[in-house]
């Protein structure tokens, strides 16, 4: 199963960009969002209505597979989870 992937990069404080990929093909992208929540809310609108799951990568680290419905309804909660996971991974690496 080839799931869509939302890849988010932090360009600088309060400036992010995202890419939506299917396989290795970028199907949409945007720079200028001020938060992870903003990136997720923008990117999920590009996923077809019948999409069930989406993978999320933040700053090059795979954060997991999430339900598209959760992302549509609660992007802030998913963003918080992504931030927590990233902090846990970075703390483990350091």
């Amino acid at each position: 199963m080839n799931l869509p992937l939302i890849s988010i990069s932090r360009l600088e404080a309060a400036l992010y960009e995202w890419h939506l990929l299917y396989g290795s093909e970028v199907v949409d992208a945007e720079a200028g969002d001020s938060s992870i929540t903003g990136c997720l809310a923008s990117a999920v609108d590009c996923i077809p209505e019948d999409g069930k799951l989406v993978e999320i990568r933040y700053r090059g680290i795979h954060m997991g597979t999430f339900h598209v419905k959760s992302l549509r309804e609660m992007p802030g909660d998913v963003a918080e989870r992504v931030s927590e996971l990233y902090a846990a991974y970075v703390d483990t690496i350091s």
Side-chain angles (χ1 to χ4, degrees):
M1 176 190 273
N2 197 13
L3 297 177
L5 167 71
I6 299 171
S7 180
I8 301 171
S9 300
R10 182 174 180 250
L11 303 175
E12 58 186 54
L15 183 61
Y16 296 83
E17 73 177 344
W18 59 266
H19 294 85
L20 177 64
L21 299 99
Y22 281 86
S24 61
E25 181 182 345
V26 176
V27 295
D28 209 338
E30 182 177 280
D33 283 307
S34 61
S35 66
I36 296 170
T37 301
C39 288
L40 293 173
S42 296
V44 76
D45 286 339
C46 302
I47 297 173
E49 289 295 320
D50 63 348
K52 302 284 187 220
L53 300 171
V54 61
E55 295 182 76
I56 298 175
R57 183 171 55 208
Y58 178 63
R59 297 177 79 173
I61 300 174
H62 187 263
M63 296 289 116
T65 304
F66 296 82
H67 291 277
V68 172
K69 183 178 179 181
S70 297
L71 193 54
R72 289 189 199 284
E73 295 175 359
M74 303 173 293
D77 291 349
V78 175
E80 185 175 327
R81 180 71 180 140
V82 166
S83 295
E84 290 169 356
L85 283 169
Y86 182 78
Y89 290 145
V90 170
D91 286 345
T92 302
I93 295 169
S94 301

